[in-house]
Amino acid sequence: MPNDTGLLLGQFLRAPATIGAVAPSSRRLASAVCAPIPERGEPTVVELGPGTGAFTAEIQQRLAGRGHHLAVELNEPMAALLAERFPEVDVVNADAKQLGELLGQRGLPQADVVVSGLPWAAFPLEAQRDLLAAVTSAMTHGAAFTTFSYVHAIPLNSARRFRAMLAERFEEVVAGRTVWRNTPPAFVFHARRPRP
């Protein structure tokens, strides 16, 4: 979507430390990231950093009206666009560090799946720690967490540090195959069962 690309690029140029993408994620990446969403039941699915909604559309398709989909977007213009584009999604313009509070306000005890579009490699150590602690404390024991990293970020110290944090915080972490049909190419981390 050309308008989405323009919006993302403009927001990236304004705040590169909080907007990690210069183009919307591809459908292939969205499919890989959203794979842990269960086919049955009424799951609580949290989406962090939904941007213009590439993962949001995939989550909605997989949920098909079931459960609760909470999308937490820090960027106000993107949150407004998302709320307009997906009226059935519970979109909130807030910081992901407030996840536990946001779930509590909605009477939701914890998340069953957390799908993250946050630019983890762009965050300093303290922000990575605080965000991941907020996420894991808001998840059920058997919950799934997925996020992605761009291939070019692999050698960055912040990216390696984040991968180590995932291993500390979850009982199981698996790196998926590279999604070459994405701009830029990316791979997905699937993590399950947050440690207490």
Side-chain angles (χ1 to χ4, degrees):
M1 297 181 194
N3 289 346
D4 288 359
T5 301
L7 176 63
L8 272 172
L9 184 57
Q11 296 302 312
F12 174 81
L13 293 172
R14 284 184 182 86
T18 58
I19 306 292
V22 295
S25 297
S26 69
R27 291 191 68 186
R28 286 180 190 260
L29 181 58
S31 179
V33 167
C34 298
I37 293 171
E39 295 179 3
R40 295 181 185 87
E42 299 289 328
T44 296
V45 178
V46 171
E47 183 182 10
L48 304 176
T52 57
F55 297 166
T56 312
E58 183 71 20
I59 292 167
Q60 282 297 295
Q61 182 178 344
R62 289 172 184 256
L63 285 176
R66 299 175 297 118
H68 191 101
H69 180 180
L70 173 64
V72 183
E73 175 56 60
L74 182 62
N75 182 279
E76 193 173 348
M78 286 200 221
L81 172 70
L82 203 70
E84 182 181 322
R85 197 173 271 178
F86 298 97
E88 66 280 12
V89 176
D90 183 2
V91 179
V92 60
N93 178 213
D95 193 315
K97 290 178 194 170
Q98 301 170 292
L99 182 55
E101 182 183 331
L102 295 169
L103 287 168
Q105 289 169 355
R106 287 154 176 78
L108 301 168
Q110 290 181 301
D112 300 302
V113 179
V114 177
V115 172
S116 174
L118 297 176
W120 294 96
F123 297 148
L125 172 62
E126 191 174 323
Q128 285 181 338
R129 277 193 188 140
D130 291 349
L131 278 166
L132 202 52
V135 168
T136 55
S137 65
M139 297 172 71
T140 63
H141 174 67
F145 171 80
T146 58
T147 191
F148 69 97
S149 179
Y150 294 125
V151 170
H152 67 266
I154 292 171
L156 298 176
N157 286 338
S158 57
R160 290 200 301 266
R161 183 178 64 225
F162 177 67
R163 287 195 299 275
M165 278 186 200
L166 283 178
E168 290 170 11
R169 289 281 187 169
F170 291 91
E171 293 178 8
E172 177 188 359
V173 180
V174 177
R177 294 181 183 165
T178 301
V179 179
W180 294 105
R181 289 190 167 187
N182 192 70
T183 304
F187 60 94
V188 180
F189 288 111
H190 296 282
R192 290 188 180 275
R193 297 183 302 280
R195 298 182 196 275

